[in-house]
Amino acid sequence: MNCYHDSPRGSELGACDHHAPVPVRVNPSTPSMIGFIRKYLSHDLAIDLGTSNTRIMVAERGITLDEPSVVTVREGEAGLAAAVGREARLMIGKVPGSISAVRPIRDGVVADLTLTREMLRAFIGKADPQRRFAVSPRVLVTVPAISTQVERRAIREAVLGGGAAQVYLIEEPMAAAIGAGLPVAQASGSMVIDIGGGTTEVGVISLGGMVYKHSARVAGDTFDQAIVNYVRRNYGMLIGEQTAQTIKHTIGSAFPTGDRRELEVKGRSVAEGVPRSFRISSAEVLEALTEPLNQIVSLIKLALEQTPPEIGADISERGIMLTGGGAMLADIDRLLMEESGLTVLIADDPMHCTIRGCAAALEKIDTIGSLFARE
């Protein structure tokens, strides 16, 4: 498994590889005592820091927070969040001029460090409000597969600023594969496609390591924007992000079917500047989504081309696993199956695969020194 952690020097992020273990010098008599004290005073956290949603799982409690990665800021109070999460999400597109709704995470990486800290501090407080003492938790957080060291350092600093004592990083495809139940430690190839809000992550895994990894900034948010652009271009209407999501979830599809569905939605006429209603069909939504879907297909084909033949044979036998909220788009498995010629499976509860895998890796934080190291 490829995970990333605070380096001993504290200023760099290094990759852990099971072939080159990171030595952890600990007095044999102390780990159990330290672990007992920390377990009593605090709870380790797994965080799936997503563009659309942030999910937190507290050790021994399960998922305790699942809220939109949104904050609102009042004019003149830059860097101070007026509202976070679900409350802030309801304000998107409806706030007065003195308040702005902001997504501090863009394309899976930190876009606004200060607001991300504020958001995480609030989320960690909500996720674990019953901490017996003010002991900061250890946190394992997901990062995009091809994020840079600078981007990873920004995520680490944001989580530390949000109240964590120590921060460990794990790549999203690995966390998604673990959460989907793929045999990542075996000497056989597995392929996972995690379609999130800001990025689509592709990972080919064998023997606990990433044989191939790639990510592209095309995912659920791209689908929404494609629908917004289509409606403006073809209907001369302006719709918001939430309306686009409603269209996608209600009648959106990734593969043509004979079932034609329609939905009446409201927007603002570009020409007249007043609210109007119109009807959009499932075929039109499919047309709007064609370009971003083709980009995901190209990403998968590239991954298969770059995969060693023996591992490719394993993937051909086992199939491709889909995770993430984007996996819930109707018939996306049929599209990818048609384009790749391989079996495509959708994981159980695909939206929570990454956080479940992150939490499963977090459980090994005290037992596998070659995967995790403390600063």
Side-chain angles (χ1 to χ4, degrees):
M1 183 192 304
N2 283 353
C3 296
Y4 289 79
H5 57 79
D6 302 344
S7 75
R9 290 174 290 180
S11 61
E12 298 177 352
L13 296 175
C16 294
D17 191 296
H18 63 288
H19 296 299
V22 177
V24 180
R25 297 183 179 179
V26 182
N27 188 321
S29 64
T30 59
S32 59
M33 179 60 69
I34 293 174
F36 172 80
I37 293 173
R38 173 165 290 280
K39 182 176 180 180
Y40 181 76
L41 297 181
S42 183
H43 302 98
D44 293 336
L45 305 179
I47 299 181
D48 178 14
L49 188 59
T51 302
S52 298
N53 288 77
T54 294
R55 299 179 176 93
I56 299 181
M57 181 174 281
V58 180
E60 302 179 359
R61 290 189 189 172
I63 298 175
T64 58
L65 183 133
D66 185 350
E67 295 202 18
S69 303
V70 182
V71 302
T72 56
V73 182
R74 295 185 184 278
E75 187 177 350
E77 298 181 356
L80 296 176
V84 299
R86 201 167 285 114
E87 180 183 355
R89 175 73 169 79
L90 295 173
M91 299 181 184
I92 292 181
K94 301 177 182 179
V95 294
S98 59
I99 299 177
S100 57
V102 180
R103 289 182 179 271
I105 306 295
R106 283 287 179 185
D107 301 325
V109 297
V110 175
D112 189 311
L113 182 58
T114 303
L115 287 180
T116 302
R117 285 173 182 161
E118 289 283 314
M119 181 181 75
L120 284 171
R121 185 176 290 111
F123 282 167
I124 289 173
K126 285 184 180 181
D128 192 15
Q130 299 178 349
R131 279 186 288 159
R132 278 156 276 200
F133 299 94
V135 175
S136 299
R138 294 180 299 180
V139 175
L140 179 60
V141 60
T142 59
V143 294
I146 59 169
S147 54
T148 65
Q149 275 199 345
V150 173
E151 291 169 337
R152 294 181 182 207
R153 190 174 296 118
I155 290 176
R156 174 182 173 275
E157 291 176 359
V159 178
L160 285 171
Q166 297 164 323
V167 180
Y168 306 81
L169 307 180
I170 182 171
E171 293 171 336
E172 290 178 11
M174 179 62 76
I178 295 171
L182 295 179
V184 297
Q186 295 182 10
S188 60
S190 300
M191 185 172 182
V192 61
I193 312 295
D194 182 53
I195 308 175
T199 62
T200 292
E201 307 282 333
V202 179
V204 177
I205 303 165
S206 180
L207 280 173
M210 302 285 288
V211 177
Y212 175 90
K213 60 183 178 181
H214 194 58
S215 63
R217 290 171 180 176
V218 51
D221 288 350
T222 315
F223 295 162
D224 298 339
Q225 190 58 49
I227 293 172
V228 170
N229 295 340
Y230 181 91
V231 168
R232 176 165 187 163
R233 185 172 60 249
N234 291 274
Y235 285 91
M237 301 289 292
L238 294 176
I239 61 172
E241 175 186 314
Q242 295 187 48
T243 301
Q245 286 187 0
T246 299
I247 293 172
K248 178 180 69 176
H249 294 153
T250 306
I251 61 172
S253 175
F255 195 81
T257 64
D259 181 21
R260 179 183 174 87
R261 293 166 294 160
E262 290 189 348
L263 181 68
E264 182 174 341
V265 294
K266 296 179 181 179
R268 177 164 59 86
S269 169
V270 175
E272 302 174 353
V274 295
R276 290 280 185 266
S277 297
F278 65 98
R279 298 188 70 82
I280 186 170
S281 70
S282 55
E284 290 174 305
V285 177
L286 174 60
E287 183 182 346
L289 297 177
T290 297
E291 183 176 347
L293 287 171
N294 285 341
Q295 293 181 50
I296 293 176
V297 168
S298 298
L299 195 66
I300 295 172
K301 288 183 176 180
L302 178 62
L304 293 171
E305 290 172 4
Q306 299 294 322
T307 299
E310 294 297 329
I311 293 179
D314 293 336
I315 295 171
S316 178
E317 181 178 345
R318 181 173 290 125
I320 299 171
M321 181 67 72
L322 279 183
T323 66
M328 300 177 72
L329 178 65
D331 294 323
I332 192 169
D333 53 336
R334 291 183 61 188
L335 171 69
L336 300 183
M337 194 179 305
E338 183 77 17
E339 294 291 338
S340 67
L342 301 177
T343 301
V344 177
L345 306 171
I346 298 177
D348 295 333
D349 191 15
M351 292 185 68
H352 297 112
C353 281
T354 302
I355 186 62
R356 288 203 310 266
C358 188
L362 180 64
E363 293 177 359
K364 304 179 185 297
I365 206 166
D366 284 322
T367 59
I368 307 180
S370 62
L371 297 182
F372 302 98
R374 299 192 301 194
E375 188 173 16

